Amino acid sequence: MATYQDIVSKPTPLAPGHRMCAGCGIPAIVNSIIAASDKPVIVANATGCLEVTSTIYPFSAWNVPWVHLTFENAAAVAAGIETAYKALKKRGKIKDDVNIIAFGGDGGTYDIGIQALSGALERGHRFLYVVYDNEGYMNTGNQRSGATPFGADTTTVPAGTKSIGKTQWRKNIVEISAAHRIPYAAQAAAHNVVDIYNKAKKALSADGPSFLAVLQPCTTNWKYDTALTMKYSKLAVETNFWPLYEIENGKVHINYKPKERKPIEEFLKGQGRYRHLFKPENRYAIEEFQSLVDEEWERLLKLEESGAKL
Amino acid sequence: MADKTGWKDLMRGGDLPPATSREYKTGSWRSLRPVLDLSNCIHCMICVAYCPDMCIPVVRSEEGVVGRNGRIYKGLVRLETDFDYCKGCGICAEECPTDCIKMVREEVVETSSK
């Protein structure tokens, strides 16, 4: 079993001095994923919070080989790196084994990068794609994305007297990836770094593409105190808003089942983007939110129970 | 496009040495300072794993350090926060299982240390 000691004893791939917001959840995610690799890694990084804050010219916060690319092509570039690596290895120009990891935000994955991602998964390149999901285009100031959940106030779908914010639920990106029949797809959350580490280990040992979606609470645009990032990540899991599960060769396995599901209010409370839902006229939206979460959870439980291949 | 130029003729793209961000001290962003009481620390490494700025150094200590309840903690132990980079977010104080980190306003720390 992995421990915190295993994760922190490795040199961190990210160096201090990067310009992520105080209280950001991304470094914990990146560090624990790369710590899980026992081979050298190559990182392909889609435009997003991580990319723009870690490499402001002339600085770079990366201790590992890292490629800058645009919003949409993280998976395509990772696929290209893998193909080039295989070709060079075949010719004997490279001896070492490497792991190729692509990082993208939810905008670069759910929306803009999905066709590149889908193509790379379908072609079966051996790489790990990680999405750190902060549920919106947070780096450019909180625009709505395909990952933004129901009821959230964003600048493109603002809440007001006529609107409760976003009215749709989010895409299920893990199941979309699993539908490509890849060997490993999983969902994790920022607070449980040991779980992230274990999942990254499994994903990197898979023979083929693997996918990892990690929830990353955003202090700036979810609008809460910087110290509470890990608390909100924990609450997202405890309320079943963001279940921790994995799909291994099509089989669903839930890693954590809360003994007693917390009401969704506990997760929504204190977040500026959900403040409007607590007005008396919007209370119905919280009930709807709760039923959406419960419905998804029931579905997931049934999938696990049936043992059917997804 | 009369002249054919191959990819080898193209100008080389920018490449940077690793971890140059260390020259940019983000500690100046801080308004709250994590004040650590090492005598109550159990060296569980939760703060180290969570720290968004990788500014909690760890070392492997064979002889060990004195922590909570006077116990000697061996192996990986944490040291004082690196204030060159700490942005003062307070995640370490919030998540510490033994509450041995307190967030104190910078000006209070400065006046009390004089």
Side-chain angles (χ1 to χ4, degrees):
Chain A
M1 265 321 271
T3 58
Y4 280 94
Q5 272 77 6
D6 293 332
I7 298 167
V8 302
S9 59
K10 307 254 176 82
T12 57
L14 273 175
H18 62 73
R19 279 173 248 184
M20 279 167 232
C21 308
C24 185
I26 298 175
I29 298 170
V30 174
N31 289 336
S32 41
I33 284 172
I34 298 187
S37 169
D38 35 23
K39 298 172 193 161
V41 294
I42 302 171
V43 174
N45 190 187
T47 301
C49 287
L50 175 63
E51 189 258 355
V52 299
T53 54
S54 63
T55 53
I56 295 172
Y57 188 79
F59 301 108
S60 164
W62 291 87
N63 266 324
V64 294
W66 176 93
V67 190
H68 161 81
L69 26 113
T70 57
F71 230 133
E72 66 278 8
N73 60 357
V77 170
I81 295 171
E82 195 247 13
T83 312
Y85 162 73
K86 271 205 317 219
L88 288 171
K89 195 157 188 202
K90 207 168 157 189
R91 282 187 235 157
K93 289 193 177 168
I94 297 179
K95 297 267 182 300
D96 298 340
D97 283 335
V98 296
N99 283 323
I100 295 148
I101 304 178
F103 285 101
D106 56 288
T109 306
Y110 286 67
D111 300 345
I112 307 173
I114 195 161
Q115 58 152 321
L117 174 64
S118 176
L121 295 182
E122 183 265 326
R123 290 189 300 270
H125 296 282
R126 193 174 180 285
F127 77 113
L128 165 63
Y129 192 100
V130 181
V131 46
Y132 56 93
D133 184 350
N134 47 25
E135 313 199 314
Y137 292 84
M138 297 321 193
N139 153 51
T140 48
N142 195 17
Q143 287 84 13
R144 167 205 195 281
S145 84
T148 308
F150 175 82
D153 176 28
T154 57
T155 50
T156 44
V157 191
T161 50
K162 302 277 185 244
S163 159
I164 56 152
K166 188 173 168 181
T167 50
Q168 300 85 8
W169 194 234
R170 57 161 179 252
K171 287 184 203 177
N172 191 327
I173 194 80
V174 178
E175 284 180 27
I176 292 174
S177 322
H180 293 78
R181 308 283 179 267
I182 59 172
Y184 192 79
Q187 186 159 288
H191 75 281
N192 199 339
V193 288
V194 175
D195 182 57
I196 299 177
Y197 180 89
N198 289 337
K199 283 176 176 164
K201 264 228 159 1
K202 265 192 196 176
L204 291 170
S205 64
D207 187 23
S210 44
F211 184 86
L212 194 52
V214 191
L215 180 74
Q216 184 256 311
C218 171
T219 161
T220 309
N221 288 319
W222 292 18
K223 302 189 183 78
Y224 59 80
D225 187 85
T226 53
L228 304 178
T229 299
M230 298 305 173
K231 193 193 112 189
Y232 276 112
S233 172
K234 235 173 265 178
L235 280 172
V237 174
E238 299 275 335
T239 54
N240 289 343
F241 171 79
W242 188 266
L244 304 181
Y245 68 99
E246 54 192 1
I247 304 176
E248 221 176 334
N249 295 318
K251 282 223 161 77
V252 177
H253 173 65
I254 304 174
N255 302 94
Y256 176 72
K257 290 177 189 163
K259 280 202 189 77
E260 214 171 297
R261 168 183 62 63
K262 287 189 173 157
I264 195 70
E265 276 102 325
E266 292 201 22
F267 173 66
L268 306 182
K269 213 164 42 193
Q271 288 188 43
R273 61 172 182 162
Y274 285 125
R275 202 175 46 195
H276 59 286
L277 293 189
F278 288 89
K279 285 184 186 159
E281 67 270 26
N282 287 337
R283 293 299 297 201
Y284 75 93
I286 295 187
E287 278 159 38
E288 200 175 327
F289 202 126
Q290 183 69 70
S291 64
L292 284 167
V293 168
D294 288 345
E295 218 173 276
E296 284 285 316
W297 176 250
E298 286 300 320
R299 214 184 124 261
L300 196 63
L301 278 180
K302 266 186 207 141
L303 273 176
E304 190 197 30
E305 217 175 291
S306 71
K309 272 202 152 190
L310 209 66
Chain B
M1 293 299 280
D3 304 326
K4 278 202 173 166
T5 41
W7 65 272
K8 282 176 186 162
D9 306 320
L10 295 174
M11 195 176 74
R12 190 176 169 170
D15 53 355
L16 291 173
T20 46
S21 65
R22 284 183 173 277
E23 287 166 34
Y24 188 86
K25 311 269 194 241
T26 51
S28 59
W29 297 15
R30 188 174 62 246
S31 61
L32 295 170
R33 175 186 289 242
V35 176
L36 170 68
D37 174 14
L38 265 178
S39 66
N40 205 12
C41 177
I42 56 170
H43 301 278
C44 62
M45 301 292 142
I46 288 176
C47 55
V48 183
Y50 282 171
C51 179
D53 292 290
M54 286 69 73
C55 60
I56 304 178
V58 286
V59 288
R60 205 168 277 282
S61 164
E62 295 308 326
E63 64 270 25
V65 293
V66 181
R68 188 179 171 85
N69 298 333
R71 219 192 103 182
I72 309 281
Y73 289 84
K74 286 185 182 168
L76 273 187
V77 293
R78 68 155 288 177
L79 306 173
E80 180 58 274
T81 313
D82 184 348
F83 292 113
D84 277 354
Y85 302 107
C86 171
K87 292 171 188 159
C89 66
I91 289 182
C92 52
E94 176 74 25
E95 300 297 328
C96 178
T98 62
D99 286 331
C100 67
I101 305 173
K102 295 269 171 300
M103 299 307 287
V104 183
R105 289 198 70 84
E106 277 291 324
E107 58 267 29
V108 177
V109 182
E110 275 161 26
T111 44
S112 63
S113 62
K114 266 174 201 164

